[in-house]
Amino acid sequence: TTSVGKAGTNTFKVTYTPTDTVNFKVVTDIDVTIEVRKANPTYTTPTGLTAEYGETLADVELPEGFTFEEDLTTSVGNVGTNTFKVTYTPIDTDNYKTVENIDVTIAVGKGTPEYTLPEGLIAKYGDTLGDITLPEGFTFEDDLTTSVGNVGANTFKVTYAPSDTDNYNTVTGISIEITVQDYIAEINITNMPKVIYKQNETLDLSSMVVKAITASGVANEISLSEIKVNGKSIEEISAQPLTEIGQQTITVTYKDNDINSYTYEKEFTTTFKITVISENPTEQRVIVLNGQPEIEIELGEKYEDEGATVYNIDSIATDLEVKTTGIVDTSKVGTYTLTYSIEGAESVTRTVKVVDKIAPVITLHGIEATEDVEVSKNENNETVIRFMRGKATFELANMATATDNYDTSVNVEYSVTENSVVADNITNIGEQAGEYVVTYTAKDSSENESTEVIRFIVLDYPATIYYLDEVGGKLPIKDIENGIIPVYTDYLKVMCDTENINIIINYIVKDENGEIKEGVLEFNKDDNQDIEYILLNRDGRYTIKVEGTYIIPVERTIIIDTTPPEATVDRFNRTITFEDVQDVYKATLTSGDGRTVITLIDKSNSQLEEDNSKYYTIDENGVYHLTDEAVKISRIYTLRAEDEYGNQITPIKFRMINL
């Protein structure tokens, strides 16, 4: 049980006991040395190691004695379980080995993304959270219809979703601040100035009071020094005589100068009217219209007249009643004049225009989906009619009528474009393939206009692809059995009788060295003439596809094989070898007297006659060995073979040797 000691060379005593202890002594106290190698230490592979995405190996704490073999700046990798190599170094390195290449796994969880807190968010009073644009990745946790609150700084919670949600957590409950600013909704005049002036007097605005009304309902009086009147300061406009007789509009402008207002530096206007009379008026009263002298209302709308006010020439309003003459019939389009009069004042007039702004309504006719006609709406709400040419005919003049809210009849006109080209001579659609856009237009007496668009997509029938036989005859490829074409000429010709198409031919052939070659031939055909396309002079597979904008695509695959199988007969060894047995569809041996036929290969018959197998065997190389049973029947045979496409070898007649 004595330990061999520490690593290194250690000496111990041994005793030698001979097998013949009768004649030989037992020798004791013999020195021997033991070379003690370092032992493999016992350790527990670290488990339960975790990290966050974005950390490095330096952020992962290993148990004592373990170190990563990768550089500590190495990333812990994507979220999931990732494997790394560690080294275990025991405390007693004199006697124990250091163990390398130990696999440890680190469970990498999603990291916490870095983000910049949104700052400087400003909203106007009355906004909702839906009106606030947050930086990319941030969303409000409250419903977007939530108000931004009262004027001042308000706090809300947002969520940050990183672009890489596979490796980073979504952060919730982030507090941000929105500064809500009040703003001017309008300005108005609360104490009207003098409104009646004699010619050459100047504006008297000293009593005028202008207030800014904010969205929150606060009314702030504006200093007259901060406003403009007809674009001038109060001092400038007040020094300018009023020379033009009649009613005038005075425009008051104020630019918001509150830096904390959402409408800072925005201009607001309001107006009032004055009436200028002659310096020596003959009348002592003035009629001033309430509202505008020219009014426009829509047909059928109720008209309520605002009337007029009577002032004396000193600009003092009276309660005298004004006589109004004239009518406004809102059921009829037209211009109406109302006259306002009173004794002692010049009469004034107001013009009321009744207008029709409703466009006619176009109704389309004769559009119905059938087995042959497909009807739909596209993204522009246009009616789309799709059908094969000849399957339907549409007379354009009969396809649309219009009604109007005012006019008893409205004409409908149409224009046509064919494949994006104006085609005014087209009256019906159905016989020619193409895309036709028909625009119907209706205009009423008030110049209100409406349009409806029908987009006709008329498809051509699939193109017919022809093969030209040895005398130039046209054979539709689809009619050739199994798509196999017997080639009589030294090259293959195909042709197509449809215009405005593309012909794409993919081919796989063998070149003169027997190597497989692949390629694509592509042609454009933009006229109505038959055009021949010459394929390569090679056996192989050809896929011919014909497509176009207004044609149903068609595809045909043809196989050209003009080369018969190759076979070799060794009459001495009684063997038959096919160069490529896969190319042989049928092979037979016929006895010299013609009475017996031995079938070697027949891919049309999955189960050959059972007694055929006694006449030959097939080795691992696919070579046919004829047996003595075949020799018993006949020594003379004729070999015949053909491929799938009927290409036959020249019959081989041979006499076998009896081995």
Side-chain angles (χ1 to χ4, degrees):
T1 59
T2 303
S3 169
V4 294
K6 295 182 178 181
T9 302
N10 299 316
T11 302
F12 294 89
K13 297 293 186 179
V14 298
T15 296
Y16 176 71
T17 302
T19 55
D20 183 4
T21 55
V22 175
N23 296 301
F24 293 97
K25 296 179 180 179
V26 173
V27 183
T28 61
D29 204 27
I30 303 171
D31 285 333
V32 295
T33 58
I34 299 176
E35 188 68 29
V36 180
R37 296 187 297 274
K38 289 184 179 182
N40 291 320
T42 300
Y43 61 86
T44 301
T45 301
T47 59
L49 302 178
T50 61
E52 284 189 0
Y53 178 77
E55 291 184 334
T56 65
L57 295 182
D59 299 308
V60 180
E61 184 176 352
L62 292 172
E64 185 177 1
F66 290 91
T67 56
F68 285 106
E69 295 179 5
E70 290 93 340
D71 192 282
L72 291 180
T73 60
T74 302
S75 168
V76 294
N78 291 334
V79 171
T81 301
N82 301 317
T83 302
F84 297 89
K85 298 290 187 183
V86 297
T87 295
Y88 176 69
T89 303
I91 297 174
D92 183 2
T93 55
D94 291 335
N95 295 297
Y96 291 94
K97 297 176 182 178
T98 296
V99 183
E100 298 178 340
N101 291 321
I102 303 170
D103 286 334
V104 296
T105 58
I106 300 176
V108 181
K110 292 185 178 183
T112 301
E114 294 183 358
Y115 58 85
T116 301
L117 193 68
E119 295 180 344
L121 300 176
I122 297 176
K124 66 179 185 294
Y125 180 80
D127 278 350
T128 64
L129 296 183
D131 298 310
I132 307 299
T133 301
L134 292 173
E136 186 176 359
F138 289 92
T139 55
F140 285 106
E141 295 181 3
D142 295 307
D143 191 280
L144 292 181
T145 60
T146 303
S147 168
V148 293
N150 293 327
V151 174
N154 299 315
T155 301
F156 295 89
K157 298 291 186 181
V158 296
T159 294
Y160 176 70
S163 56
D164 182 4
T165 54
D166 291 335
N167 294 302
Y168 288 103
N169 287 309
T170 296
V171 184
T172 60
I174 304 170
S175 295
I176 63 166
E177 188 175 275
I178 298 176
T179 300
V180 180
Q181 297 178 337
D182 207 352
Y183 66 95
I184 295 176
E186 62 177 357
I187 63 171
N188 58 39
I189 300 172
T190 59
N191 188 25
M192 290 297 297
K194 179 180 176 181
V195 295
I196 305 296
Y197 291 89
K198 291 181 180 179
Q199 190 177 26
N200 293 318
E201 284 186 337
T202 58
L203 280 174
D204 181 7
L205 304 176
S206 58
S207 62
M208 182 174 66
V209 176
V210 182
K211 290 187 177 181
I213 311 301
T214 69
S216 63
V218 178
N220 296 313
E221 186 172 342
I222 302 171
S223 171
L224 295 182
S225 64
E226 296 178 327
I227 67 173
K228 299 286 185 180
V229 178
N230 287 354
K232 302 179 184 297
S233 67
I234 294 290
E235 292 79 9
E236 291 175 311
I237 199 70
S238 297
Q240 186 174 329
L242 300 166
T243 59
E244 185 177 345
I245 294 175
Q247 193 174 65
Q248 299 179 23
T249 299
I250 305 300
T251 302
V252 178
T253 305
Y254 168 69
K255 180 184 285 187
D256 189 357
N257 59 12
D258 182 359
I259 195 171
N260 293 316
S261 171
Y262 194 83
T263 52
Y264 175 60
E265 293 194 332
K266 182 180 178 180
E267 285 191 343
F268 297 86
T269 62
T270 188
T271 62
F272 65 93
K273 295 184 182 301
I274 65 170
T275 300
V276 180
I277 60 177
S278 64
E279 289 184 273
N280 300 302
T282 58
E283 307 289 352
Q284 297 300 307
R285 295 171 182 159
V286 178
I287 301 174
V288 176
L289 292 176
N290 299 330
Q292 301 298 321
E294 294 184 357
I295 295 176
E296 183 178 280
I297 64 172
E298 291 195 31
L299 183 70
E301 182 181 346
K302 184 180 179 180
Y303 174 68
E304 294 183 358
D305 188 54
E306 297 181 75
T309 302
V310 178
Y311 289 84
N312 62 33
I313 59 174
D314 294 324
S315 195
I316 297 174
T318 71
D319 56 1
L320 297 175
E321 186 175 348
V322 177
K323 180 182 179 182
T324 305
T325 58
I327 62 169
V328 177
D329 186 355
T330 60
S331 67
K332 295 181 179 180
V333 173
T335 300
Y336 301 88
T337 300
L338 299 177
T339 302
Y340 305 87
S341 60
I342 192 173
E343 187 179 351
E346 291 185 6
S347 61
V348 296
T349 60
R350 189 196 315 272
T351 300
V352 180
K353 291 183 178 180
V354 178
V355 297
D356 175 18
K357 293 187 176 181
I358 300 176
V361 176
I362 297 177
T363 302
L364 300 177
H365 304 284
I367 301 175
E368 183 178 353
T370 67
E371 183 179 351
D372 296 321
V373 178
E374 176 186 319
V375 179
S376 63
K377 288 281 190 179
N378 63 14
E379 65 277 6
N380 298 321
N381 202 36
E382 297 172 341
T383 300
V384 180
I385 302 176
R386 179 191 291 271
F387 60 97
M388 296 290 296
R389 64 177 176 85
K391 290 292 186 180
T393 300
F394 294 88
E395 297 291 339
L396 302 183
N398 301 327
M399 294 191 67
T401 58
T403 57
D404 189 61
N405 65 312
Y406 186 70
D407 295 341
T408 56
S409 64
V410 180
N411 291 329
V412 179
E413 298 179 348
Y414 68 86
S415 60
V416 183
T417 61
E418 179 183 5
N419 303 331
S420 301
V421 178
V422 175
D424 292 333
N425 60 333
I426 294 179
T427 59
N428 59 72
I429 292 174
E431 295 301 323
Q432 296 295 325
E435 183 170 2
Y436 303 84
V437 178
V438 181
T439 303
Y440 289 95
T441 304
K443 185 184 292 186
D444 64 16
S445 58
S446 296
E447 299 298 315
N448 298 307
E449 184 176 283
S450 60
T451 60
E452 283 288 340
V453 175
I454 304 177
R455 190 174 294 270
F456 293 91
I457 299 176
V458 185
L459 299 177
D460 207 343
Y461 290 90
T464 301
I465 307 173
Y466 297 99
Y467 160 68
L468 303 186
D469 64 16
E470 73 277 13
V471 294
K474 292 166 59 175
L475 300 175
I477 289 179
K478 65 180 180 179
D479 295 335
I480 297 176
E481 187 177 357
N482 299 323
I484 302 169
I485 300 178
V487 177
Y488 301 103
T489 57
D490 57 353
Y491 58 86
L492 172 67
K493 290 183 179 179
V494 297
M495 61 191 302
C496 181
D497 56 5
T498 303
E499 59 182 308
N500 299 317
I501 57 171
N502 296 324
I503 297 181
I504 303 170
I505 303 172
N506 290 277
Y507 61 86
I508 303 176
V509 300
K510 286 185 179 180
D511 65 11
E512 57 273 11
N513 297 319
E515 295 183 0
I516 299 296
K517 299 291 185 182
E518 298 185 29
V520 179
L521 303 174
E522 186 168 356
F523 309 94
N524 295 318
K525 183 173 183 293
D526 55 7
D527 56 35
N528 58 6
Q529 300 297 317
D530 288 347
I531 296 182
E532 300 177 3
Y533 297 100
I534 301 175
L535 276 65
L536 301 181
N537 178 21
R538 295 286 184 270
D539 288 359
R541 178 184 294 271
Y542 298 85
T543 300
I544 306 170
K545 183 176 183 180
V546 179
E547 58 186 17
T549 306
Y550 307 113
I551 185 173
I552 296 178
V554 63
E555 185 173 296
R556 296 283 182 263
T557 297
I558 59 176
I559 299 173
I560 304 172
D561 188 349
T562 60
T563 305
E566 295 182 19
T568 304
V569 175
D570 184 344
R571 66 191 186 92
F572 296 100
N573 293 312
R574 301 198 312 214
T575 61
I576 299 173
T577 304
F578 295 103
E579 181 70 22
D580 183 1
V581 73
Q582 299 299 324
D583 192 34
V584 181
Y585 187 73
K586 189 173 184 179
T588 61
L589 287 173
T590 304
S591 63
D593 58 9
R595 295 178 179 179
T596 303
V597 177
I598 299 173
T599 301
L600 303 177
I601 301 172
D602 188 353
K603 292 182 180 177
S604 66
N605 183 4
S606 59
Q607 185 173 1
L608 298 176
E609 295 182 13
E610 292 182 1
D611 60 350
N612 277 353
S613 59
K614 64 184 179 182
Y615 300 124
Y616 59 83
T617 61
I618 307 173
D619 66 19
E620 67 275 7
N621 296 317
V623 177
Y624 286 75
H625 297 261
L626 299 180
T627 65
D628 290 341
E629 292 295 326
V631 177
K632 290 179 182 178
I633 293 175
S634 176
R635 288 175 177 243
I636 300 174
Y637 281 96
T638 300
L639 173 66
R640 292 178 174 85
E642 63 182 56
D643 63 14
E644 183 179 1
Y645 312 116
N647 299 301
Q648 300 178 353
I649 67 171
T650 301
I652 303 174
K653 189 174 183 179
F654 61 96
R655 176 187 291 273
M656 289 191 295
I657 302 299
N658 190 4
L659 299 178

